[in-house]
Amino acid sequence: MPSDTEITAYLGHVISPLSEKEYLDYRGGALLVSSAGKILAVGPWEELQKSALVRGAGSLKVVDYGERLILPGLVDLHLHLPQVTQTGRSGEHLLSWLNRYIFPAESRFADTDHARKIAHWFFDELARNGTTLACVMTTIHKEATDAAFEVAAAKGSRVIMGKVMMDANSPEALTEETEKSVEDSRALARKWHGYDNDRLLYAFTPRFAVSSTSRLLQAAGELKAEFPGSFIHTHLAEAREEIQFVHDQFPRTRSYLDVYDQAKMLGQRSIFAHAIHLDDHDINTVKTTGSSLAHCPSSNFFLKSGVFAYQKMQEAGVLFGLGSDVAAGPAMSMFCVMKDAQFIQPSYWIDPRELLYRATLGGARAAWLDDQVGSLEESKEADFIIVDPRRKTGIVDNILSQSSDEILSSLVFLGDDRLIEATYVRGRAVYESTTALALAQGYQMSL
Ligand code: GUN
Ligand code: ZN
């Protein structure tokens, strides 16, 4: 049996999806977490106090968050680390926006000190926004990406990340020699893939078909096969002009997705951002290969890229989660992304519970990591957030005594970074507000 301080009980209103349709919901609930950062039990605190697990422990630490919400950590399935400096710079469609704002900002990552500074900012922001799993693109630079992994390792972040690969149709400062891109990616994967019991995972990251030769795309597929459990992360069918470009560049392909399919890039743990302009054949291919999509509604609004076929993907049983796509998405808060997912649909009404599912367990499923994270269930990793909707003006003071549906609706439609009191990854606080810091002192309870 665990001795003295090995169990911490976090008390609050525990809400978590269990599947696409089911939720667990305990007011006066508790999450019991081991010192190794695993969830030992979830349930009503009254009952858990009487359980053999707690009785056998002799004593435990209690952190009482009162009426505040305890939710699974948020999953951001697609965003760009080097772009945090470029949010809110729009007025153009994808390709000209990339040339005007993004490529210059990414070129600065040749300076590793600059890259490290931005990485600190980036991972602190992820934690402050309640994101506990992020699928991240860096830049083409090996040293800058290495620095980003070092920062994530030190801060306790959980990420799927990789250096961007670009060997065609790109500015000179961001054009790599194909084999060097492959070698640098392999070296980074060797060093970081699986770090700290899989807290850091590697994604081979050809930016998009526009900036790739077919040799580079094929190599990405081969590298993924070389490193079990690694990912492919890229963009797919986001903007009309981009699709036309790809069509001209790869004339012997049926569609944009087919470019990736021919390069053997599809399969489990292949994550394609956007996927707005797919036909039924493509959707079926995504589904049957077990590939995943990252739906990025805020970005799609911002760059006027189009509308993701949410209902169709849902009905087809395609794996997909939500992505902020910072900086094309202006905010890192997944609550803002959930709201935009609802708002961008012209006629399809998406339930708040479905949206929260997509930003937690649905995202974890799309990353094939739902056996470890995404929901608050026994034996999963203790990745959770403490949320207090009262922290934001415009949300009524008595919200926490209303029904869970009212609470979830206000989170999804009114939420942002201000709601996050604390963020835990594997049982360790990676962000705490001053209120949460004081509460986390907790007390020792003897039984
Ligand atoms: N397609 C290729 N690169 C990018 C990028 O940085 N952002 C977005 N939104 N789309 C892309
Ligand atoms: Zn993107």
Side-chain angles (χ1 to χ4, degrees), residues 80 83 94 97-98 102 207-208 235 238 274 299 303 325 328:
H80 299 257
Q83 297 182 17
L94 174 65
W97 172 81
L98 287 172
I102 299 307
R207 182 176 209 116
F208 59 163
H235 297 92
E238 177 180 5
H274 304 295
S299 162
L303 294 177
D325 195 24

Side-chain angles (χ1 to χ4, degrees), residues 369-390:
L369 292 172
D370 54 302
D371 57 332
Q372 297 166 49
V373 295
S375 61
L376 303 178
E377 293 177 83
E378 188 188 322
S379 84
K380 283 198 179 184
E381 302 264 294
D383 288 14
F384 61 99
I385 52 177
I386 308 303
V387 175
D388 189 348
R390 298 167 303 190

Side-chain angles (χ1 to χ4, degrees), residues 79-87 89 97 101-111 114-123 135-141 144-145 148 161-164 166 174 205 207 325-328 332:
L79 81 169
H80 299 257
L81 180 152
Q83 297 182 17
V84 276
T85 57
Q86 302 301 310
T87 52
R89 290 168 205 245
W97 172 81
Y101 301 114
I102 299 307
F103 292 154
E106 293 196 9
S107 301
R108 288 196 65 195
F109 276 58
D111 172 354
H114 171 72
R116 187 173 284 107
K117 199 173 87 193
I118 304 296
H120 274 279
W121 174 13
F122 177 84
F123 288 110
C135 188
V136 178
M137 291 193 178
T138 61
T139 61
I140 62 160
H141 308 95
T145 305
M161 185 158 69
K163 81 163 221 70
V164 166
M166 299 166 80
L174 293 178
T205 310
R207 182 176 209 116
D325 195 24
V326 159
M332 232 190 240

Side-chain angles (χ1 to χ4, degrees), residues 172-183:
E172 204 182 326
L174 293 178
T175 303
E176 304 175 281
E177 199 270 305
T178 312
E179 291 315 311
K180 175 153 170 40
S181 181
V182 171
E183 268 323 301

Side-chain angles (χ1 to χ4, degrees), residues 46-292:
E46 280 276 312
E47 279 175 32
L48 285 177
Q49 282 179 77
K50 297 179 209 141
S51 68
L53 177 73
V54 169
R55 298 236 154 255
S59 97
L60 75 177
K61 184 178 172 186
V62 179
V63 175
D64 189 351
Y65 289 117
E67 286 183 284
R68 292 177 186 81
L69 307 168
I70 303 180
L71 306 179
L74 303 170
V75 178
D76 187 339
L77 215 51
H78 175 70
L79 81 169
H80 299 257
L81 180 152
Q83 297 182 17
V84 276
T85 57
Q86 302 301 310
T87 52
R89 290 168 205 245
S90 178
E92 288 164 291
H93 289 273
L94 174 65
L95 298 180
S96 57
W97 172 81
L98 287 172
N99 281 316
R100 182 157 170 198
Y101 301 114
I102 299 307
F103 292 154
E106 293 196 9
S107 301
R108 288 196 65 195
F109 276 58
D111 172 354
T112 308
D113 289 339
H114 171 72
R116 187 173 284 107
K117 199 173 87 193
I118 304 296
H120 274 279
W121 174 13
F122 177 84
F123 288 110
D124 286 345
E125 279 296 286
L126 272 185
R128 205 175 60 75
N129 277 282
T131 299
T132 54
L133 170 63
C135 188
V136 178
M137 291 193 178
T138 61
T139 61
I140 62 160
H141 308 95
K142 181 185 175 192
E143 291 74 19
T145 305
D146 192 49
F149 272 113
E150 273 173 14
V151 172
K155 287 190 190 288
S157 322
R158 186 188 297 282
V159 284
I160 301 164
M161 185 158 69
K163 81 163 221 70
V164 166
M165 307 170 85
M166 299 166 80
D167 72 340
N169 304 314
S170 303
E172 204 182 326
L174 293 178
T175 303
E176 304 175 281
E177 199 270 305
T178 312
E179 291 315 311
K180 175 153 170 40
S181 181
V182 171
E183 268 323 301
D184 287 354
S185 301
R186 180 182 281 121
L188 286 164
R190 271 206 191 113
K191 182 166 176 188
W192 292 109
H193 180 57
Y195 177 89
D196 190 19
N197 278 324
D198 290 345
R199 184 162 58 79
L200 305 183
L201 296 167
Y202 199 83
F204 297 99
T205 310
R207 182 176 209 116
F208 59 163
V210 171
S211 59
S212 308
T213 60
S214 35
R215 162 75 200 123
L216 187 84
L217 298 176
Q218 255 166 29
E222 288 160 13
L223 283 163
K224 184 189 171 205
E226 191 178 320
F227 291 87
S230 69
F231 291 75
I232 287 212
H233 181 199
T234 189
H235 297 92
L236 167 69
E238 177 180 5
R240 298 259 179 220
E241 52 176 358
E242 169 208 18
I243 293 164
Q244 186 58 48
F245 195 103
V246 171
H247 182 72
D248 296 344
Q249 197 183 334
F250 299 91
R252 281 193 297 280
T253 49
R254 202 196 66 80
S255 65
Y256 196 149
L257 184 73
D258 194 36
V259 175
Y260 295 150
D261 199 6
Q262 289 192 18
K264 301 202 167 27
M265 285 168 55
L266 274 54
Q268 295 182 3
R269 295 183 314 284
S270 289
I271 299 175
F272 299 101
H274 304 295
I276 296 170
H277 310 282
L278 301 188
D279 61 18
D280 288 349
H281 188 287
D282 287 334
I283 293 172
N284 190 49
T285 306
V286 170
K287 158 89 181 148
T288 54
T289 56
S291 307
S292 300

Side-chain angles (χ1 to χ4, degrees), residues 423-436:
T423 303
Y424 288 83
V425 173
R426 200 178 270 168
R428 171 179 164 192
V430 291
Y431 168 73
E432 287 174 290
S433 69
T434 43
T435 308

